[in-house]
Amino acid sequence: MTTSMKWVSTLSTRPSLEAAIAEVVQQAKKSLQRSPDLGLVFISSAFASEYSRLMPLLQEHLPGLPLIGCGGGGVIGMNSYGETQEVEGEPALTLTLATLPGVEVHPFHLAAEDLPDMDSPPDSWVEMVGAPVTEQPHFILLADPFSSKINDLLQGLDFAYPGAVKVGGLASGSGGGNTGLFCNYRLYREGTVGVALSGNIVLETIVAQGCRPIGQPYWVTEGERNILFGLEEQGNSSSTPYGGGPLVSQKRTPLEVLQELLQNLSDEDRALAQHSLFVGVAQNEFKQNLEQGDFLIRQLLGVDPRVGAIAIGDRIRPGQRIQFHLRDAQASAEDLDTLLVRYQPPKEVAGALMFSCLGRGEGLYGEPNFDSRLFHRYHPNTPLSGFFCNGEIGPVGGSTFLHGYTSVFGICRQP
């Protein structure tokens, strides 16, 4: 009896839901040739009017299988030629089946109104999810973008399961009311569906936020909520403005720093900064030399020229470090390539999931299948599936965040 983990990913672009289901199930069973322990299904929002038919039809082919999934503006899977394919805006269905020996599989649905208060103890979150902390589970999460209270959920799960990896995305489609979330052959329109995986499994992540840094890092010397009032050059000193050492230079307003930075950019980057300028917030307080992957990328929301302040899309506090970033197709490609080169798993990868922003794909790169095929350049034999999201879930610096314009990969292997 084999004890190795095995994943398969299949894709159908047939416009008939019955035909698409029959095709992916037949291909998946033929490739797996074992009894699956987990199923993941991602369905194009082109099928939104038929979401209610998906689960009964799948249940006929795969009765009793633990299964989660959702609808998306596009889906990602392996076509009949064994190539990754990203299908955007067209009817498509992808099915992943996995044999997971020694892995406990626990699917669940969480309604937003059932989430504990943010001051509740960890046990409240564990009781809600139903996966014991002692089993050290990892999580795949698929959520409705309108009703899931996803940021509260991520904060609560980090609190209750601090060592657990959480990856996933927000379902996407043609508008409110058309969300499709699937769990154990039931359709949900609200909340979050997910699966906890514990035991003989490792879940690793690549979070490609698609940005490149410009200028240099700065210490935040003054900030309130999401408003930055003062910045300090990081310099070469090992001390911080709050570590008892000398300050490395005078405090400046963020607007002064930004204006000087823009003046020193190339004409191309200055034009790009007019619409694609972001702020990266360093997540490691002690790392001296910051690099890609160390920043949580957040939007630059506005400036106040009266006091030289800037507002960003997240809370900020004095003592944190920030660096301005630019985003374009080249930066996104280089960012993902850098992270893929850096990722060196000690054992063979069994399967991977890709959660990519609707703002990436062909619209960003001008060609289809870019992120998925770049992943396969480094992991050519790894089955890959996923969907295009309204927001992507993945860790940065040990905490889990909701991202935008990002491709998050959840990579599974045995220990």
Side-chain angles (χ1 to χ4, degrees):
M1 181 177 177
T2 181
T3 58
S4 62
M5 181 185 297
K6 186 175 182 180
W7 291 62
V8 298
S9 167
T10 57
L11 172 74
S12 176
T13 56
R14 293 180 182 270
S16 160
L17 182 60
E18 285 90 348
I21 290 173
E23 183 175 22
V24 295
V25 170
Q26 181 182 12
Q27 291 179 359
K29 285 184 173 180
K30 182 179 178 181
S31 298
L32 191 64
Q33 295 185 333
R34 307 181 196 171
S35 295
D37 299 304
L38 173 67
L40 296 130
V41 61
F42 301 109
I43 184 170
S44 166
S45 59
F47 282 121
S49 63
E50 299 188 80
Y51 281 170
S52 62
R53 300 177 60 230
L54 176 63
M55 290 293 98
L57 290 170
L58 263 181
Q59 190 171 19
E60 292 180 11
H61 295 278
L62 299 165
L65 178 68
L67 182 145
I68 66 166
C70 70
V75 302
I76 302 147
M78 311 291 293
N79 63 26
S80 58
Y81 299 101
E83 302 169 327
T84 55
Q85 187 173 345
E86 302 172 15
V87 184
E88 303 179 60
E90 301 288 339
L93 177 73
T94 182
L95 174 68
T96 295
L97 297 182
T99 298
L100 306 171
V103 177
E104 185 71 25
V105 178
H106 175 68
F108 54 84
H109 170 256
L110 307 174
E113 59 266 24
D114 295 334
L115 298 186
D117 294 331
M118 296 310 295
D119 56 356
S120 298
D123 289 350
S124 299
W125 295 90
V126 174
E127 182 179 348
M128 176 192 65
V129 173
V133 177
T134 54
E135 294 183 358
Q136 299 180 310
H138 298 303
F139 295 91
I140 300 168
L141 303 168
L142 310 171
D144 170 47
F146 308 107
S147 65
S148 59
K149 296 173 65 175
I150 188 63
N151 286 311
D152 288 355
L153 176 59
L154 296 180
Q155 187 176 338
L157 291 180
D158 276 354
F159 180 45
Y161 301 92
V165 173
K166 301 103 183 166
V167 296
L170 304 188
S172 60
S174 55
N178 287 324
T179 300
L181 302 171
F182 311 103
C183 181
N184 283 356
Y185 301 107
R186 290 191 60 183
L187 167 65
Y188 297 93
R189 297 293 187 179
E190 298 180 337
T192 300
V193 298
V195 61
L197 302 172
S198 55
N200 191 38
I201 188 169
V202 174
L203 179 60
E204 295 169 319
T205 60
I206 292 174
V207 180
Q209 299 179 86
C211 284
R212 56 182 167 89
I214 54 175
Q216 61 179 311
Y218 289 85
W219 295 104
V220 177
T221 58
E222 189 178 355
E224 182 179 350
R225 295 190 300 275
N226 69 323
I227 311 296
L228 282 70
F229 293 102
L231 295 177
E232 186 85 39
E233 289 184 22
Q234 180 172 325
N236 297 317
S237 172
S238 60
S239 60
T240 77
Y242 300 91
L247 297 178
V248 293
S249 64
Q250 279 192 324
K251 186 190 81 170
R252 304 171 65 192
T253 70
L255 186 56
E256 289 174 337
V257 170
L258 182 56
Q259 289 172 334
E260 180 180 294
L261 175 62
L262 294 175
Q263 290 174 357
N264 293 325
L265 293 178
S266 66
D267 292 341
E268 293 81 2
D269 280 355
R270 195 177 302 119
L272 184 63
Q274 298 301 312
H275 54 81
S276 297
L277 181 64
F278 295 82
V279 176
V281 182
Q283 297 300 295
N284 189 323
E285 298 185 13
F286 306 103
K287 187 175 182 180
Q288 287 297 307
N289 298 315
L290 298 171
E291 55 187 345
Q292 281 174 302
D294 293 332
F295 293 95
L296 176 64
I297 303 300
R298 287 301 187 237
Q299 285 185 297
L300 175 61
L301 300 180
V303 301
D304 184 348
R306 296 171 303 169
V307 295
I310 65 173
I312 70 171
D314 207 345
R315 288 181 174 271
I316 198 76
R317 57 175 172 75
Q320 288 184 292
R321 288 175 292 175
I322 65 106
Q323 188 167 1
F324 292 100
H325 284 67
L326 290 176
R327 174 180 282 138
D328 60 4
Q330 181 179 348
S332 293
E334 291 175 353
D335 178 38
L336 179 54
D337 189 75
T338 297
L339 296 172
L340 285 167
V341 169
R342 193 183 302 168
Y343 175 66
Q344 298 290 334
K347 289 190 176 182
E348 183 179 357
V349 172
L353 299 169
M354 174 178 159
F355 306 100
S356 189
C357 180
L358 286 164
R360 292 175 75 104
E362 192 167 0
L364 175 64
Y365 295 111
E367 61 179 278
N369 311 313
F370 190 92
D371 281 354
S372 60
R373 295 200 173 167
L374 183 56
F375 176 86
H376 259 171
R377 185 184 303 170
Y378 293 93
H379 303 281
N381 300 317
T382 301
L384 179 69
S385 63
F387 74 104
F388 285 89
C389 315
N390 258 329
E392 305 76 55
I393 297 167
V396 175
S399 298
T400 311
F401 297 96
L402 182 66
H403 305 273
Y405 303 101
T406 297
S407 278
V408 174
F409 293 85
I411 305 166
C412 292
R413 63 174 176 85
Q414 290 181 301

